[in-house]
Amino acid sequence: MHILLTGATGYIGQRLLPLLIEAGHHVTCLVRDARRFEFPERLRANITVAEGDLLRPDSLADLPLDIEAAYYLVHSMSGHDKDFFRLEQLSALHFGRYLSRTSCRQVIYLSGIANDRALSVHLRSRKAVEKVLSKVQTAQLTVLRASIIIGSGSASFEIIRDLVEKLPVMVTPRWLNSRCQPIGIRDVMFYLMQVLNNPACLGRSFDIGGPDVLTYRQMLLGLAHARGLKRYIVTVPVLTPRLSSWWLYLVTSTTFSLAQSLVESLRNDTVADPARSIDAVVPHACMSYDAAVRLAFQRIEQNEVVSSWSDALSSGVMEKQFMDHIQMPQFGLFRDRQTLSFTRPPQQVLQNVWSIGGERGWYKVDWLWRIRGLLDKLAGGVGLRRGRRSPTDLRAGDPLDFWRVLVADRANGRLLLYAEMKLPGEAWLQFRILPNDDGTHTLEQLAAFRPHGLAGRLYWYAMVPFHSVIFKGMIENIVHYGGARPRQEALLSQSGA
């Protein structure tokens, strides 16, 4: 079949795409910026990349009309402004109008379990999107409603993991006693594939969930047990939604808007309704919560995390067309440039560059980086806790602590990062490995900052004393990490406006 996949760069979309290709389908991926979209070479023959923004109907004019099915995986858990509800429906409305011009017969939408009466704004939004999509006359809607999704890189799993691994004692709101029905990401993928082109699923909505109905408290203690940790949870009634959101934001890797959304949704039970069960149509034994948790950690330990919630741009502060920053401005920049020649195999140094951040750290005075991350969190930024998707692999669009990867060109030895921390300006950090005439190589490390007004200039000059320690030490340790230090290697340093 010819399938249109929206949300192809998101957590679910990145995992669904290879499954669709392996099943023999041709997939058109709708993305805002094709420059950000990367996929394995083996899939290339069966993928078409199309640019479009669902909030701009004119951008959908050139999308293909011969599609047979479509996945609608568009939803922003991080949206929390007053227009969020309206914009979500508007996106679905524009998508529906586009579908009405195509040969599409089925739309598949991954929604949330919404069986309570007083729903959070995000669950209400998902139900509203269902209603909009159901009005498309030319295609029948299939809705899969899920509760908490457990898998390596999922927002829910990573937040639960953060809380359990960092806090021996947790002071939590009373909503931790709300019930949910967690489901493993592998089972979600199974259902998304099985309902495709399934006549029994057309025009129907299903609740999907694992075999366990748990409180959020039980989920935290269950993950602690899987990790061999002893944890204590104290529930108090005085934590307001806003205080709870700040607490979750400061302790975990989540953004504040996502924390707000999750705390608000905690007030709802998200348990599957037996009347909406999918079992009669698609029989399947879902894995238990414990099994899903253990599988997620197995994937993490084996460096097989396919996608992460923080891959989405909404996990940071960048604008949608973030690849426009791929070239540094030529003027109006402050720069700190360090170069170091080396005789080691360049691939060893390149691997050190590709492993920067996350668990490896930043190669010099990591405690200063952690302080900077904490200050960023307190200022409403992303902080350092997002980490990285993989300890050794990088691709364009990946989050990297409080940076975003713009270029990860391993073949040409270039890594370019753009800062997502709170700054009075814009910042880039670039690493390049350059060949020398004598057969050796040079690592170039360039930190660049474009200030916004006087505050930006004062910020740069205040940081110069720290830069002289951090950046010089960084390049030395990147070059020498994992190998013996030769007695003499040429070091050139240049810093200034």
Side-chain angles (χ1 to χ4, degrees), residues 11 53 105 128 133 160 191 194 205 214 229 266 328 439 485:
Y11 178 71
D53 186 337
R105 302 190 303 269
L133 294 176
I160 294 170
Y191 286 127
Q194 292 300 310
S205 297
L214 306 170
L229 301 170
L266 276 175
M328 293 186 194
R485 289 174 177 263

Side-chain angles (χ1 to χ4, degrees), residues 99-263:
L99 288 181
S100 67
R101 299 187 289 111
T102 72
S103 54
C104 181
R105 302 190 303 269
Q106 182 184 23
V107 184
I108 300 169
Y109 175 47
L110 181 60
S111 186
I113 292 178
N115 298 323
D116 272 7
R117 290 184 178 179
L119 295 173
S120 70
V121 65
H122 277 82
L123 289 177
R124 283 192 289 113
S125 173
R126 293 201 175 193
K127 288 194 73 173
V129 168
E130 291 179 25
K131 187 175 181 179
V132 172
L133 294 176
S134 68
K135 294 181 179 179
V136 179
Q137 298 295 322
T138 54
Q140 291 185 275
L141 178 64
T142 301
V143 180
L144 295 178
R145 294 176 170 177
S147 179
I148 299 292
I149 296 177
I150 302 298
S152 57
S154 78
S156 303
F157 172 78
E158 294 299 337
I159 289 172
I160 294 170
R161 178 189 177 192
D162 270 352
L163 291 172
V164 169
E165 293 187 346
K166 294 172 182 174
L167 299 176
V169 179
M170 287 172 262
V171 180
T172 61
R174 61 183 180 274
W175 304 312
L176 217 66
N177 294 321
S178 297
R179 299 180 308 147
C180 63
Q181 195 164 348
I183 182 171
I185 183 63
R186 179 178 292 186
D187 296 317
V188 173
M189 292 297 108
F190 174 83
Y191 286 127
L192 285 171
M193 291 295 296
Q194 292 300 310
V195 300
L196 176 64
N197 203 30
N198 187 332
C201 298
L202 298 178
R204 298 187 62 181
S205 297
F206 303 99
D207 287 357
I208 58 174
D212 304 311
V213 175
L214 306 170
T215 65
Y216 292 96
R217 178 190 183 96
Q218 289 173 320
M219 289 177 65
L220 289 167
L221 294 176
L223 189 141
H225 177 73
R227 300 296 283 166
L229 301 170
K230 187 69 174 178
R231 293 295 183 257
Y232 301 91
I233 299 176
V234 180
T235 303
V236 296
V238 295
L239 282 177
T240 66
R242 187 163 184 82
L243 283 175
S244 300
S245 300
W246 274 107
W247 178 80
L248 197 64
Y249 165 68
L250 291 174
V251 171
T252 71
S253 58
T254 185
T255 63
F256 182 70
S257 57
L258 180 54
Q260 278 185 297
S261 303
L262 292 173
V263 167

Side-chain angles (χ1 to χ4, degrees), residues 233-307:
I233 299 176
V234 180
T235 303
V236 296
V238 295
L239 282 177
T240 66
R242 187 163 184 82
L243 283 175
S244 300
S245 300
W246 274 107
W247 178 80
L248 197 64
Y249 165 68
L250 291 174
V251 171
T252 71
S253 58
T254 185
T255 63
F256 182 70
S257 57
L258 180 54
Q260 278 185 297
S261 303
L262 292 173
V263 167
E264 188 179 86
S265 298
L266 276 175
R267 290 178 289 181
N268 293 122
D269 285 341
T270 52
V271 178
D273 182 350
R276 293 179 177 273
S277 175
I278 198 173
D279 290 343
V281 179
V282 183
H284 176 63
C286 292
M287 67 177 66
S288 66
Y289 172 69
D290 182 67
V293 166
R294 294 182 185 279
L295 180 61
F297 278 111
Q298 179 182 330
R299 291 287 179 265
I300 292 169
E301 290 164 1
Q302 295 174 349
N303 299 330
E304 295 179 353
V305 180
V306 177
S307 61

Side-chain angles (χ1 to χ4, degrees), residues 337-356:
R337 181 174 180 266
Q338 307 280 340
T339 60
L340 181 59
S341 296
F342 59 90
T343 56
R344 297 181 68 185
Q347 287 302 319
Q348 293 181 6
V349 177
L350 190 64
Q351 185 56 55
N352 290 341
V353 172
W354 247 246
S355 303
I356 199 167

Side-chain angles (χ1 to χ4, degrees), residues 263-411:
V263 167
E264 188 179 86
S265 298
L266 276 175
R267 290 178 289 181
N268 293 122
D269 285 341
T270 52
V271 178
D273 182 350
R276 293 179 177 273
S277 175
I278 198 173
D279 290 343
V281 179
V282 183
H284 176 63
C286 292
M287 67 177 66
S288 66
Y289 172 69
D290 182 67
V293 166
R294 294 182 185 279
L295 180 61
F297 278 111
Q298 179 182 330
R299 291 287 179 265
I300 292 169
E301 290 164 1
Q302 295 174 349
N303 299 330
E304 295 179 353
V305 180
V306 177
S307 61
S308 169
W309 72 273
S310 54
D311 294 342
L313 293 186
S314 57
S315 70
V317 297
M318 296 194 70
E319 58 192 59
K320 294 174 184 176
Q321 295 296 323
F322 80 104
M323 292 298 284
D324 291 343
H325 297 275
I326 200 167
Q327 296 295 337
M328 293 186 194
Q330 295 299 309
F331 306 101
L333 289 182
F334 292 109
R335 294 180 175 88
D336 184 291
R337 181 174 180 266
Q338 307 280 340
T339 60
L340 181 59
S341 296
F342 59 90
T343 56
R344 297 181 68 185
Q347 287 302 319
Q348 293 181 6
V349 177
L350 190 64
Q351 185 56 55
N352 290 341
V353 172
W354 247 246
S355 303
I356 199 167
E359 294 297 322
R360 173 70 61 88
W362 291 85
Y363 292 99
K364 185 67 176 179
V365 287
D366 271 358
W367 60 273
L368 279 178
W369 288 93
R370 288 193 291 270
I371 289 174
R372 182 63 181 87
L374 176 60
L375 292 175
D376 191 55
K377 272 277 187 178
L378 293 174
V382 296
L384 280 177
R385 291 201 181 98
R386 289 188 309 180
R388 44 183 295 158
R389 176 184 54 84
S390 164
T392 57
D393 179 55
L394 291 173
R395 62 192 181 200
D398 273 357
L400 179 52
D401 291 337
F402 45 43
W403 302 86
R404 179 76 62 173
V405 178
L406 295 184
V407 177
D409 184 355
R410 192 152 189 159

Side-chain angles (χ1 to χ4, degrees), residues 464-475:
V464 167
F466 298 100
H467 292 169
S468 63
V469 175
I470 294 173
F471 290 136
K472 181 178 178 181
M474 274 181 63
I475 192 169

